[in-house]
Amino acid sequence: MSWLHASTAFVAAFLASLVECVEALTIVLAVGTTRGWRPALLGAAASAIFLVILVAIFGPALGRVPITTLQLIVGILLLLFGIRWLRKAILRAARVIATHDEAKIYAEETALMRSAGGASTRAHFDTIAFLACFKAVTLEGLEVSFTVIAIGAGGSLLVASLGAALAAVLVIMLGFVLHRPLSRVPENTLKFTVGIMLTAFGIFWIGEGLALPWPGEDLALLAMIALLLLFSALAVRIARGRARTTAPS
Amino acid sequence: MNALRIALAELWGLFVEDATLTIGTLICVALAAFVIPRVVIGAQWRGPLFFLAIVVMLLENVYRGARRP
């Protein structure tokens, strides 16, 4: 594994995990402030344990799959996952679809939790709050786990895991300090960057799995990231123009 | 059972959102696996050609997706 591959894997895992952790934090904060911190944090902790068990079960099994088969399968999944993010980020940047708004999601979740009823008392455990946090952290955590495993499939699993862990620690610390959603995080820009990186990784792994040679080997990954950035900027312009010409007058 | 159905739907949603994008991506992969190795003479062009196919497919999808109803 080259330093180039390792550093790209680290940055991609860090940024992807940052986005997912910010989204999970918004829900945990909304639930915690309206229904109480005990069930909210217990839900988040139970989800973290559940995810660790899942990774412990499925992680070693991946080691038994032949490397080219693994690269092909992981590459296809990573490409489907990354290109979905990239398409959405392009359409958001072109203002064709609404941008992700953590403050709005926080307000909606807070209102939902307030209207749900049956809050925690000493005698009664708040199952709604527990499940809301468990579900949110599990869904975002599954995306983080998949991204880390997929990016690290070529031997950089430890580096990718470190990137994801750093993002999680950073978001948890900020959540503890600020006690409000991280609405100033430029989420669409992050998703744009991550979408480009995951798409490039996916294409690269598929190529490796199918034995398609890459000019410059690992350097091709950087070239693909740069080219995808250029083509995505072009796509934003195309989408803006298209939306303008087809808008009802 | 309901929770399992929800979990599977969420898992599916991670990879599939726009059906045409998913199908387009899989067609590009199939081209890279079965067509490109047979028709492209220079082996060094196979990877870049696959990359280009994905980019073209993405641009076309964005162009269609940006159409206001």
Side-chain angles (χ1 to χ4, degrees), chain A residues 14-28:
Chain A
F14 174 78
L15 294 178
S17 307
L18 196 66
V19 173
E20 303 302 345
C21 291
V22 165
E23 289 180 5
L25 177 75
T26 301
I27 305 295
V28 174

Side-chain angles (χ1 to χ4, degrees), chain A residues 77 79 81 83-84 86-88 95-96 139 143 146 203 206 213-215 224 231 235 238-239 242-243 246, chain B residues 10 13-15 17-18 21-22 25 33 43-44 46-48 50-51 54-55 58-59 61-63 66-68:
Chain A
L77 292 176
L79 179 58
F81 186 69
I83 210 162
R84 187 182 70 100
L86 185 54
R87 176 186 180 271
K88 214 176 200 176
R95 304 200 188 291
V96 174
L139 290 179
E143 294 194 45
F146 164 72
I203 295 171
I206 292 170
W214 291 112
M224 279 195 280
F231 283 118
I238 290 173
R242 176 75 165 158
T246 56
Chain B
E10 295 282 353
L14 289 184
F15 306 102
E17 193 173 62
D18 180 284
L21 184 72
T22 308
T25 307
Q44 75 275 20
R46 290 174 188 169
F50 170 50
F51 171 76
I54 293 288
V55 168
L58 175 66
L59 289 176
N61 189 282
V62 166
Y63 180 74
R67 189 173 177 273
R68 300 273 190 206

Side-chain angles (χ1 to χ4, degrees), chain A residues 36 71 126:
Chain A
Q71 283 172 332
D126 190 345

Side-chain angles (χ1 to χ4, degrees), chain B residues 22-43:
Chain B
T22 308
I23 293 167
T25 307
L26 294 176
I27 287 173
C28 288
V29 174
L31 285 176
F34 305 111
V35 180
I36 291 176
R38 281 160 207 228
V39 295
V40 180
I41 308 295

Side-chain angles (χ1 to χ4, degrees), chain A:
Chain A
M1 178 188 56
S2 68
W3 67 268
L4 178 73
H5 209 111
S7 52
T8 317
F10 180 85
V11 173
F14 174 78
L15 294 178
S17 307
L18 196 66
V19 173
E20 303 302 345
C21 291
V22 165
E23 289 180 5
L25 177 75
T26 301
I27 305 295
V28 174
L29 283 174
V31 175
T33 48
T34 48
R35 316 271 307 193
W37 289 105
R38 195 169 143 256
L41 293 177
L42 277 175
S47 166
I49 294 167
F50 173 68
L51 287 167
V52 167
I53 293 170
L54 267 189
V55 172
I57 292 170
F58 291 108
L62 291 177
R64 295 197 199 107
V65 181
I67 187 71
T68 49
T69 311
L70 184 67
Q71 283 172 332
L72 184 61
I73 293 168
V74 161
I76 291 171
L77 292 176
L78 202 53
L79 179 58
L80 290 173
F81 186 69
I83 210 162
R84 187 182 70 100
W85 272 36
L86 185 54
R87 176 186 180 271
K88 214 176 200 176
I90 289 169
L91 293 176
R92 278 178 175 156
R95 304 200 188 291
V96 174
I97 57 174
T99 50
H100 196 88
D101 185 346
E102 288 302 326
K104 189 175 165 224
I105 293 168
Y106 178 77
E108 284 171 0
E109 187 68 24
T110 306
L112 184 73
M113 284 294 126
R114 282 211 176 102
S115 65
S120 283
T121 59
R122 275 184 185 275
H124 170 75
F125 182 71
D126 190 345
T127 320
I128 293 172
F130 176 87
L131 287 178
C133 284
F134 181 83
K135 185 186 165 202
V137 177
T138 302
L139 290 179
E140 307 303 342
L142 271 178
E143 294 194 45
V144 171
S145 309
F146 164 72
T147 312
V148 169
I149 290 171
I151 290 172
S156 46
L157 192 60
L158 183 66
V159 179
S161 306
L162 282 175
L166 184 67
V169 170
L170 192 70
V171 171
I172 290 167
M173 277 168 58
L174 283 172
F176 266 113
V177 175
L178 298 174
H179 264 248
R180 61 191 163 85
L182 307 179
S183 51
R184 285 194 181 174
V185 171
E187 205 169 328
N188 201 49
T189 311
L190 278 177
K191 280 198 164 171
F192 208 117
T193 315
V194 174
I196 285 173
M197 294 183 97
L198 297 187
T199 303
F201 263 104
I203 295 171
F204 186 82
W205 286 141
I206 292 170
E208 292 284 295
L210 293 174
L212 302 178
W214 291 112
E217 297 181 356
D218 278 6
L219 270 177
L221 191 58
L222 272 193
M224 279 195 280
I225 289 171
L227 284 171
L228 276 173
L229 188 64
L230 275 176
F231 283 118
S232 301
L234 174 70
V236 172
R237 288 179 70 99
I238 290 173
R240 260 193 210 137
R242 176 75 165 158
R244 217 176 290 131
T245 53
T246 56
S249 51

